[in-house]
């Protein structure tokens, strides 16, 4: 039985790539009572990262500082009588973002001897240093009695749990000696709030386990120790120091510890929900329904679908980022896809232009240009005609996530001439990200998964009408933009409301707390036909680049 009281509040915490934001929400109306965003100080300085090597690490101190600052900030904005009414907190994070921990669940980077060692930190989702290890996992899985990649599209990615662990163990002897276990960011943050970070007893996210760690009930959990040991003896025995069960985000991790209750000024009765990845909780916040295609559009994209298990649970969808029972909502099969770069493509182009300005004219001029550049280019590009002779680009500047993950691939552009200016290049890059989106949509449809509507959330969806109109034209589908500025944090708040017993289901929480949609982009028929032709050119360019890259790799290996 669920007892509903007036003025109950929950907090959704969303850990993004650059910052963490907290949202204090009324459980009955969805009204936001307070919010706060905290930027990671070490990440902002570029510490522990090497983009040229695709190394992206984040220090757990950034996370701890952000957790406290964002929640305190959200509560500070609220009325004084709200704090005692907070009943639940749930957290979403990027993923797969695993980190090594000791026997107590303390991340190694929080120990003095690992404080400056990137391998003792959390390995951010877009870190691609484990490309070779991912290939080894794929090769072995495809020749093993059980293909452990069958529920993740048949291809394991270097962005995911096991590949990152294996590479780290291979390159860092100190981590090998001191890492008792490994934990996803979303699991660790939730566990921190409860005070129980013991890696053997804390509850692990179904979302993270199924999509990134090859967990499935058919396998009795994670891949067998025999498989992992054959992959590399360094992984031998690690399975026993991880977990067997996983839990959906409507369930509770525990209650707020006395330490964190004192820090935050909250009760120890506050329920802490099971964590999940940002895209999946974002889809909940965007009011996902069966066969809705939710695009979380930011630096990268993550695309989420869900469907009744009884309708498509028997199908194996090729080339996606996994199909997991309950990764979004209990009783539903959650399907994930996405692009490794979306907004990052535009940011790269902006840096290409502003970098020399910074060197030659100084920071003030470069900062002014940086603020104005993308809006200006968007305005100019929107005025350009769309023709079949336009330049065509690939969106693989950070590799390809889906369909068919391959993070060794690179981007390319064709059709340039002396008349190609910055606006035309920017237009081609925006179209490339839309074409990459279309290839994902087509893969789902080819595999028998219908898409009945498209919903968009995230910074790009809210801020760039040019990008969104281009996407609608390329997909030839209307796109609704969720009204919530912080849909991921709102989805986390909805999960917290269910975990705390305020609402009986996520669907009920969505009905009570959802904020609807504030924009819709419809395809322009005259553009759709031209984009069909340009999309075919995108596919041709992609096949050519992939074939040449594969050929070059083969020659290198032969030498």
């Amino acid at each position: 039985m669920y007892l509903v009281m007036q003025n109950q509040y929950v907090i959704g915490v969303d850990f993004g790539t650059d910052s963490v934001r907290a949202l204090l929400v009324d459980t009955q109306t969805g009204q936001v009572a307070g919010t706060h965003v905290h930027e990671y100080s070490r990440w902002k300085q570029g510490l522990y990262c090497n983009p040229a090597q695709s190394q992206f690490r984040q220090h757990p101190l950034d996370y701890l500082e952000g957790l406290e600052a964002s929640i305190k900030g959200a509560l500070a904005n609220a009325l004084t009588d709200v704090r005692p009414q907070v009943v639940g907190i749930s957290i979403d994070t990027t993923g797969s973002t695993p980190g090594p921990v000791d026997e107590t669940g303390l991340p190694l980077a929080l120990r003095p001897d690992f404080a400056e060692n990137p391998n003792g930190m959390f390995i951010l989702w877009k870190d691609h240093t484990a490309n070779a290890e991912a290939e080894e996992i794929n090769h072995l899985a495809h020749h093993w009695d059980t293909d452990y990649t069958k529920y993740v599209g048949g291809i394991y990615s270097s962005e995911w749990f096991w590949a990152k662990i294996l590479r780290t163990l291979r390159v860092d002897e100190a981590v090998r000696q001191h890492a008792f276990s490994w934990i996803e960011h979303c699991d660790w943050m939730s566990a921190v709030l409860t005070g129980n970070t013991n890696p053997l007893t804390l509850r692990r996210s179904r979302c993270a386990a199924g999509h990134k760690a090859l967990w499935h009930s058919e396998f009795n959990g994670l891949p067998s120790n025999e498989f992992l040991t054959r992959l590399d003896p360094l992984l031998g025995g690690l399975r026993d120091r991880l977990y067997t069960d996983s839990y959906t985000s409507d369930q509770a991790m525990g209650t707020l510890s006395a330490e964190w209750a004192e820090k935050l000024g909250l009760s120890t009765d506050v329920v802490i929900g099971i964590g999940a990845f940002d895209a999946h909780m974002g889809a909940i916040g965007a009011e996902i329904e069966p066969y809705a295609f939710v695009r979380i559009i930011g630096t990268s994209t993550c695309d989420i679908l869900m469907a009744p298990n009884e309708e498509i649970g028997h199908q194996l969808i090729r080339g996606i980022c996994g199909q997991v029972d309950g990764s979004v909502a209990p009783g539903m099969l959650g399907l994930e896809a996405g692009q490794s770069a979306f907004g990052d493509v535009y940011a790269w182009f902006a840096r290409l232009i502003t970098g020399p300005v910074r060197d030659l004219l100084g920071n003030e001029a470069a900062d002014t240009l940086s603020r104005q550049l993308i809006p200006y280019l968007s305005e100019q590009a929107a005025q350009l005609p769309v023709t079949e002779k336009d330049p065509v680009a690939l969106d693989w500047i950070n590799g390809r996530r889906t369909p068919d993950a391959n993070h060794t691939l690179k981007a390319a552009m064709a059709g340039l001439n002396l008349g190609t200016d910055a606006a035309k290049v920017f237009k081609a890059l925006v179209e490339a990200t839309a074409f990459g989106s279309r290839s994902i949509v087509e893969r789902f449809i080819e595999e028998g998964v219908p898409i009945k509507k498209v919903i968009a959330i995230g910074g790009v969806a809210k801020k760039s009408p040019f990008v969104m109109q281009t996407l609608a034209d390329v997909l030839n589908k209307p796109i609704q933009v969720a009204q919530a500025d912080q849909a991921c944090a709102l989805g986390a708040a909805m999960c917290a409301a269910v975990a705390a017993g305020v609402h009986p289901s996520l669907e009920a929480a969505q009905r009570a707390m959802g904020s609807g949609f504030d924009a819709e982009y419809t395809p322009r028929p005259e553009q759709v036909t031209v984009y069909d032709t340009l999309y075919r050119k995108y596919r041709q360019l992609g096949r050519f680049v992939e074939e040449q890259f594969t050929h070059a790799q083969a020659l290198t290996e032969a030498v």
Side-chain angles (χ1 to χ4, degrees), residues 13 15 20 38 40 61-71:
V13 184
F15 282 86
V20 54
H38 174 88
Y40 309 134
L61 282 176
D62 272 347
Y63 297 157
L64 290 174
E65 292 166 3
L67 180 65
E68 183 174 356
S70 63
I71 294 179

Side-chain angles (χ1 to χ4, degrees), residues 401-446:
R401 181 180 293 163
T402 53
D404 305 319
N406 186 340
H407 291 294
T408 63
L409 293 174
K410 308 300 179 186
M413 183 176 288
L416 302 178
N417 58 44
L418 291 176
T420 305
D421 59 17
K424 291 179 180 177
V425 172
F426 181 72
K427 172 178 168 292
L429 294 175
V430 170
E431 290 166 347
T433 56
F435 293 148
S437 306
R438 178 167 168 172
S439 68
I440 295 170
V441 169
E442 290 190 348
R443 174 58 62 87
F444 276 116
I445 294 172
E446 288 167 2

Side-chain angles (χ1 to χ4, degrees), residues 480-503:
Q480 291 180 302
V481 178
Q483 182 173 332
D485 288 329
Q486 306 291 352
C488 293
L490 177 59
M494 291 175 178
C495 292
V498 179
V502 177
H503 293 296

Side-chain angles (χ1 to χ4, degrees), residues 2 11 30 37 84 142 182-183 276 289 317 460 473 490 495 549:
Y2 294 86
I11 299 173
V37 178
H142 298 161
W182 289 74
I183 191 167
E289 57 190 64
I317 314 303
V460 174
D473 293 338
L490 177 59
C495 292
F549 193 80

Side-chain angles (χ1 to χ4, degrees), residues 240-484:
D240 295 333
R241 303 194 301 276
L242 288 166
Y243 54 94
T244 300
D245 299 321
S246 66
Y247 300 86
T248 53
S249 297
D250 60 318
Q251 298 177 283
M253 172 79 80
T255 54
L256 191 63
S257 71
E259 176 188 358
W260 276 89
E262 182 178 357
K263 283 183 182 181
L264 302 176
L266 297 175
S267 165
T268 55
D269 293 329
V270 172
V271 173
I272 308 302
I274 301 293
F277 291 148
D278 48 6
H280 299 73
M281 285 191 172
I284 293 169
E287 300 177 53
I288 191 172
E289 57 190 64
Y291 301 112
F293 183 68
V294 179
R295 308 215 75 217
I296 297 85
I297 307 176
T299 55
S300 66
T301 72
C302 207
D303 302 321
I304 303 297
L305 274 162
M306 72 175 191
N309 277 297
E310 61 271 17
E311 294 182 11
I312 66 167
H314 61 286
Q315 298 174 226
L316 294 177
I317 314 303
R318 294 181 302 114
I320 65 170
C321 300
Q323 51 191 86
V324 179
D325 179 14
S327 66
V328 181
M332 291 281 179
L333 189 69
L335 301 103
E336 178 189 341
Q339 294 162 268
S340 292
F342 200 98
D344 264 354
V345 177
Y346 318 148
W348 163 80
F349 187 55
R351 289 194 303 273
L352 196 69
I353 295 175
T354 59
V357 174
R358 189 174 302 279
D359 294 339
L360 295 172
L361 302 180
N363 290 334
E364 184 176 351
D367 290 342
T368 299
L369 177 60
S370 181
R371 287 192 297 270
Q372 299 175 359
L373 185 59
I374 295 300
Y376 169 78
L377 290 174
S378 297
E379 181 181 343
Q380 295 298 305
Q383 298 175 24
L384 293 171
V386 180
T387 77
E388 295 179 357
K389 296 182 179 179
D390 289 348
V392 174
L394 298 176
D395 56 312
W396 302 341
I397 201 163
N398 197 27
R400 184 180 64 210
R401 181 180 293 163
T402 53
D404 305 319
N406 186 340
H407 291 294
T408 63
L409 293 174
K410 308 300 179 186
M413 183 176 288
L416 302 178
N417 58 44
L418 291 176
T420 305
D421 59 17
K424 291 179 180 177
V425 172
F426 181 72
K427 172 178 168 292
L429 294 175
V430 170
E431 290 166 347
T433 56
F435 293 148
S437 306
R438 178 167 168 172
S439 68
I440 295 170
V441 169
E442 290 190 348
R443 174 58 62 87
F444 276 116
I445 294 172
E446 288 167 2
E447 293 289 302
V449 181
I451 292 177
K452 296 182 179 179
K453 65 187 300 185
V454 180
I455 300 170
I457 65 173
V460 174
K462 300 291 286 185
K463 298 175 183 177
S464 182
F466 170 63
V467 173
M468 297 310 298
Q469 184 61 60
T470 302
L471 185 59
D473 293 338
V474 170
L475 295 181
N476 193 19
K477 292 180 180 293
I479 302 175
Q480 291 180 302
V481 178
Q483 182 173 332

Side-chain angles (χ1 to χ4, degrees), residues 18-35:
D18 302 318
S19 60
V20 54
R21 59 213 44 84
L23 209 63
L24 178 66
V25 185
D26 187 310
T27 60
Q28 298 309 306
T29 67
Q31 182 177 355
V32 176
T35 184

